[in-house]
Amino acid sequence: MKTVITFGTFDVFHVGHLSILNRARALGERLVVGVSSDALNFSKKGRNPIYPQQARLDIVAGLKCVDAVFLEESLEKKREYIRGFDADVLVMGDDWCGRFDALADICTVTYLARTPSISTTSIIEVVRSI
Ligand code: C2G
């Protein structure tokens, strides 16, 4: 069975998140999603996500296109996760283009186009301004 793996924070879940997960799932028969931990986000962005990690895990796990979820604890552990889940394809958004090419020795590395004009940051800004 062809397994696809992808990663993300998926904070304030929106249609751009759904779109990349659906497209990732279509590349194989099983989709495994690494949801980045609150601690990983804090270390990258200096703030916690709006939705805590358990809520983000539950939302992503509840999607029809998703077969399994796990907590992504470090950006540097992708090789370990890919091996652990026996993934054939790594999917990342094209904002990460080129960044994970070194993993092409153990799986196919695919960057998919992001959905334009929507982001968690822009949603937060709109809600803040109301
Ligand atoms: N995405 C998208 N279109 C948007 C917004 C996001 O296709 N308009 C995609 C991103 O490219 C990513 C996924 O949705 O593939 C999750 O996005 P984020 O939560 O912003 O993920 P990020 O914080 O970049 O992931 O190892 C990666 C880390 O987990 C961080």
Side-chain angles (χ1 to χ4, degrees):
M1 195 192 293
K2 194 169 176 184
T3 297
V4 182
I5 192 168
T6 194
F7 297 86
T9 307
F10 305 102
D11 191 23
V12 188
F13 195 89
H14 60 68
V15 74
H17 296 144
L18 182 62
S19 171
I20 201 164
L21 292 175
N22 273 325
R23 284 177 288 146
R25 176 65 175 73
L27 297 176
E29 283 101 39
R30 181 170 87 115
L31 177 62
V32 179
V33 184
V35 175
S36 56
S37 69
D38 291 341
L40 174 54
N41 270 271
F42 197 87
S43 72
K44 278 197 311 183
K45 301 177 186 166
R47 67 163 180 84
N48 280 318
I50 307 285
Y51 295 175
Q53 64 192 33
Q54 192 57 53
R56 293 182 289 106
L57 280 164
D58 289 348
I59 290 167
V60 175
L63 300 170
K64 212 196 290 182
C65 60
V66 173
D67 299 288
V69 295
F70 66 98
L71 205 57
E72 179 192 26
E73 312 257 22
S74 160
L75 291 180
E76 317 310 322
K77 284 192 181 167
K78 290 214 167 39
R79 186 172 290 275
E80 219 172 281
Y81 297 133
I82 291 165
R83 286 223 168 98
F85 287 98
D86 203 14
D88 303 286
V89 183
L90 167 65
V91 166
M92 297 297 296
D94 62 3
D95 46 326
W96 293 92
C97 203
R99 172 84 192 269
F100 297 107
D101 288 356
L103 297 167
D105 60 336
I106 55 164
C107 66
T108 303
V109 180
T110 304
Y111 302 95
L112 295 182
R114 285 169 65 94
T115 301
S117 315
I118 186 157
S119 70
T120 298
T121 308
S122 67
I123 295 168
I124 294 170
E125 276 165 16
V126 169
V127 172
R128 232 186 221 138
S129 72
I130 292 171

